[in-house]
Amino acid sequence: MTLAELVPSLGSSLQAKLSERIWPLDTALGHDGDLLLGGVPLTRLAAQFGTPSYLIDENEVRRRARAYRQAMPEAEVAYAGKALSCKAVVRWIDEEGLSLDVCSAGELAVARAVGFPAERIVMHGNAKTPDDLKAAIGYGVGRIVVDSLDEIDQLGSLARYPQRVLVRVTPGVDARTHRAIATGVEDQKFGFSLASGAAEDAVRHVLAQPSLRLVGLHCHIGSQVTRVASFELAARRMVGLLAALHAEHGLTLPQLDLGGGFAVPYLDGEDEFDLTGFANRVRVAVHYECQSHRLPVPRLTIEPGRSIVGPAGVTLYRVVNVKQGGARTFVAVDGGMSDNPRPSLYGARYSVRLVGRHTRAPRRPVTVVGRHCEAGDVLAADVPLPQDIRAGDLLAVPCTGAYHHSLASNYNQVGRPPLIGVRDGVATVLVRGETEDDLLARDLG
Ligand SMILES: *Cc1c(COP(=O)(O)O)cnc(C)c1O
């Protein structure tokens, strides 16, 4: 079953629904080619907040958070804050009863700003600085996932007993995703290798630190992972390691964190991640392996980031110009790689929709490009748009809630766009857009 089937739409809209399944569930068709997100017309949002703007549908975020909790009620679901970190979203996550992953003192500061309960926070990171560790200890975060021997030593001397820790393990599973976000394979910067024995060595180091209390193991095989079998294999291997540790140290670790990385469809026709299948297969695999090693079943944690917020986000752009190239038509918009670097980082693909006017013009493939000074600043190559697309048109790009706002930059001294929350017909500025004054404020000449 897919997420959309698991969780029925909240409230039924009188408006017609979109046929593509890459928009938030209650996105509706409005008048004259308009779209309504969270009950608010996109043309109105563009007029009120300008473009580019990031929009986030609160109900969709909450619905997705609930779907994960319902699919695995026995597990802890920790939202990976790096996907989209701001006070409002972290508050929604808290209200929905999820835990929270942070990777830095900065992400922790957002959690602290909304009083997110410390015991439900997990801190990750392959290179936490002393400041990150001090901030985590200062706030009393529930668990720190240790990722290097140096960190274990440092944390050991900074922390007070019992600072709970998990050991990050590289289980040697190829999740078959983009190389830049495949974090479970051997020979990389994250974690301790299971195969080489480094993970067991790390456990010995933790046990030698009187201030640390080892409560479990952690792995994260990658991001935008579509295959349930990859998670299943990782889970089996991790239970194997739990068993080896039990044999060597008599340890019974109560927690097993299997990370996140659940894929979302970016283009119409791409599959939804099989969340129910994942839950069932991982549950069965963990129970089976535990039984065969005579281990109690640990409490599982999963860490979805992208799949909670990605499909809840839409970005609005205004067309600046249309240019005929040698072979292609370029549609240039008022944003680009500063608000969405994913196409240049991972070759990510998006679909684009004209919003706010009706046209009978046939659709033809165009290349939507950004405003930045690089030829590689392409937002969407070969996307069908109406032939009469022109300057001033409004474009909407779905599935832009995760790793957009959080990856944005000021390249070309362009201010980062605002993040606007929409819910039940009301729009709220969650993070205001950056102004030139903001950009100059840090520049001390
Ligand atoms: C990035 C990350 C996640 C979330 O990944 P998604 O692809 O956004 O679900 C979870 N856990 C860890 C440790 C991560 O680094």
Side-chain angles (χ1 to χ4, degrees):
M1 239 196 279
T2 67
L3 202 111
E5 289 157 355
L6 265 172
V7 186
S9 173
L10 298 176
S12 64
S13 164
L14 293 176
Q15 262 94 5
K17 300 280 183 190
L18 283 164
S19 57
E20 304 112 71
R21 292 175 61 185
I22 44 178
W23 299 85
L25 212 54
D26 49 8
T27 307
L29 295 168
H31 300 294
D32 297 326
D34 210 346
L35 280 188
L36 284 83
L37 189 74
V40 190
L42 295 188
T43 50
R44 198 211 294 167
L45 289 165
Q48 193 173 348
F49 302 107
T51 53
S53 281
Y54 297 122
L55 313 174
I56 187 90
D57 180 333
E58 177 179 342
N59 285 336
E60 183 73 14
V61 172
R62 291 180 182 274
R63 190 153 50 221
R64 290 177 164 271
R66 273 172 223 163
Y68 273 85
R69 292 199 65 199
Q70 283 168 21
M72 282 195 115
E74 78 281 20
E76 175 187 33
V77 181
Y79 167 64
K82 70 177 195 264
L84 175 60
S85 174
C86 68
K87 289 192 267 186
V89 171
V90 169
R91 199 181 300 116
W92 305 340
I93 291 298
D94 181 20
E95 287 165 4
E96 295 300 333
L98 274 64
S99 298
L100 179 70
D101 276 4
V102 298
C103 282
S104 67
E107 285 180 5
L108 181 59
V110 175
R112 198 170 48 215
V114 299
F116 199 97
E119 68 274 12
R120 283 198 275 128
I121 299 180
V122 183
M123 181 179 266
H124 295 275
N126 74 296
K128 301 176 204 76
T129 65
D131 285 345
D132 294 329
L133 292 176
K134 283 177 196 157
I137 292 165
Y139 195 56
V141 308
R143 283 147 293 169
I144 297 177
V145 183
V146 293
D147 206 305
S148 70
L149 296 181
D150 286 326
E151 183 191 353
I152 294 169
D153 292 342
Q154 257 180 33
L155 184 62
S157 48
L158 289 171
R160 262 178 307 156
Y161 183 83
Q163 175 60 55
R164 292 177 171 78
V165 301
L166 305 174
V167 167
R168 167 101 180 222
V169 176
T170 315
V173 173
D174 181 1
R176 300 200 201 164
T177 182
H178 191 281
R179 260 193 66 202
I181 48 176
T183 53
V185 291
E186 291 288 341
D187 188 33
Q188 67 156 302
K189 68 171 191 166
F190 288 105
F192 296 97
S193 158
L194 198 168
S196 74
E200 287 175 81
D201 196 36
V203 165
R204 277 178 227 118
H205 267 73
V206 171
L207 295 178
Q209 293 287 347
S211 60
L212 305 184
R213 176 149 152 212
L214 182 66
V215 293
L217 301 178
H218 175 280
C219 69
H220 172 68
I221 58 174
S223 199
Q224 190 61 6
V225 179
T226 52
R227 298 170 72 247
V228 170
S230 300
F231 290 103
E232 202 181 342
L233 177 60
R236 283 185 197 285
R237 291 193 178 165
M238 294 297 283
V239 177
L241 180 54
L242 286 175
L245 295 173
H246 183 77
E248 184 182 341
H249 304 281
L251 276 175
T252 306
L253 297 178
Q255 297 185 28
L256 177 58
D257 187 331
L258 295 174
F262 315 110
V264 300
Y266 281 87
L267 301 176
D268 195 30
E270 286 179 352
D271 288 334
E272 259 316 317
F273 183 76
D274 181 9
L275 182 54
T276 312
F278 164 84
N280 290 336
R281 283 172 64 179
V282 164
R283 191 181 287 130
V284 167
V286 168
H287 279 249
Y288 175 84
E289 293 293 327
C290 285
Q291 207 163 40
S292 66
H293 292 292
R294 297 176 185 279
L295 280 180
V297 175
R299 174 144 201 241
L300 297 181
T301 299
I302 54 171
E303 306 176 322
R306 183 194 310 274
S307 51
I308 301 285
V309 292
V314 170
T315 304
L316 289 179
Y317 299 100
R318 192 71 73 179
V319 175
V320 176
N321 60 54
V322 178
K323 188 186 285 182
Q324 200 55 55
R328 293 178 286 174
T329 302
F330 295 101
V331 174
V333 299
D334 54 1
M337 64 193 297
S338 59
D339 60 76
N340 180 7
R342 294 189 67 259
S344 27
L345 283 174
Y346 321 122
R349 310 224 22 225
Y350 289 87
S351 58
V352 181
R353 185 183 174 101
L354 170 66
V355 173
R357 73 176 170 89
H358 269 309
T359 170
R360 290 181 191 283
R363 303 206 302 171
R364 56 161 183 181
V366 299
T367 297
V368 177
V369 297
R371 60 180 296 190
H372 295 284
C373 300
E374 298 199 15
D377 179 22
V378 173
L379 282 175
D382 279 334
V383 287
L385 280 175
Q387 204 155 3
D388 63 353
I389 189 87
R390 58 191 183 230
D393 275 341
L394 188 61
L395 299 181
V397 182
C399 211
T400 52
Y403 306 108
H404 284 71
H405 178 270
S406 63
L407 277 179
S409 76
N410 289 128
Y411 184 33
N412 289 138
Q413 296 287 10
V414 169
R416 285 170 290 185
L419 177 68
I420 312 293
V422 291
R423 175 186 174 169
D424 304 335
V426 178
T428 311
V429 179
L430 304 182
V431 180
R432 68 167 173 79
E434 269 174 328
T435 62
E436 279 173 15
D437 285 343
D438 288 326
L439 297 177
L440 285 170
R442 294 189 309 131
D443 185 335
L444 306 181

